Amino acid sequence: VVTYGESGRGKTFEALYRDLCIARGSPYFGRNTEQGLVVYLAAEGGHSTRNRVTAYRSELFPQADFALVPYSMDLLNAEGDVSGLIGLIKHLEDVMGKSCVKVTQDTLARALMGGNENSGEDMGLLVSNADHIRHSIGCVFEFIHHSGKDAARGARGHSSLKAATDTELEVTANG
């Protein structure tokens, strides 16, 4: 899954709300969700994301199976944080007694760790590592991403990301 949009348009708010609905098993805009553990990798704005999660949990989702990881992970390099993240998720599954159904990386750029999102090689490695996490855990993997300079062209970066994407969501501001 890729959720993208221009900066400041509410991508993180939307993704957190959706993920907390899933983590609690609450409907998301009238649609049923499959309840399970959600791991949210808040590499961009980790502290502000923590405040948002605290507010959401106190008001709407007090019983959600949700884990916030508020730091950057290197998901570009095979020797980076991929194996460690898989181990962390499996540990969280054991502790919480729930299977992980979704991992969200906010943002794609922060997972590239110096890579070039316009490079087919770098984007291919990132997608491959996300697929490795997804298959090892048996979950959905989502990137929160930004639009390019021309928002009408969609998410920025190499076309291999779009080719590997099953679901693409655009977040825009309306008024």
Side-chain angles (χ1 to χ4, degrees):
V1 175
V2 174
T3 296
Y4 73 94
E6 295 177 39
S7 293
R9 297 297 191 247
K11 295 179 298 293
T12 296
F13 277 110
E14 193 282 328
L16 284 171
Y17 179 75
R18 181 169 11 102
D19 283 0
L20 284 159
C21 284
I22 293 167
R24 184 167 184 208
S26 299
Y28 172 72
F29 289 104
R31 300 287 188 171
N32 292 330
T33 60
E34 177 186 338
Q35 194 275 334
L37 172 63
V38 175
V39 177
Y40 197 97
L41 308 172
E44 189 170 287
H47 294 296
S48 64
T49 302
R50 183 180 291 143
N51 293 339
R52 293 172 188 177
V53 170
T54 299
Y56 267 138
R57 289 188 79 141
S58 69
E59 295 297 319
L60 299 172
F61 303 102
Q63 301 299 320
D65 296 316
F66 182 88
L68 178 69
V69 180
Y71 55 87
S72 296
M73 297 238 178
D74 179 356
L75 301 183
L76 176 62
N77 301 298
E79 64 275 356
D81 296 320
V82 174
S83 295
L85 177 58
I86 291 168
L88 172 64
I89 294 168
K90 288 182 178 186
H91 173 74
L92 290 168
E93 287 178 325
D94 290 342
V95 168
M96 298 179 98
K98 299 277 183 176
S99 294
C100 180
V101 296
K102 187 166 186 289
V103 174
T104 301
Q105 170 64 49
D106 188 356
T107 61
L108 180 147
R110 293 296 297 264
L112 271 169
M113 293 296 180
N116 179 351
E117 60 189 34
N118 293 313
S119 160
E121 184 177 342
D122 287 353
M123 191 62 81
L125 287 170
L126 184 72
V127 167
S128 177
N129 285 330
D131 280 344
H132 179 63
I133 294 164
R134 183 170 60 96
H135 291 294
S136 294
I137 300 299
C139 67
V140 170
F141 193 99
E142 177 178 10
F143 285 114
I144 307 301
H145 196 32
H146 293 97
S147 303
K149 291 178 184 174
D150 179 1
R153 295 184 66 195
R156 69 185 187 199
H158 194 268
S159 61
S160 60
L161 176 64
K162 188 171 189 78
T165 299
D166 295 319
T167 303
E168 186 176 59
L169 304 167
E170 180 182 15
V171 176
T172 61
N174 186 10

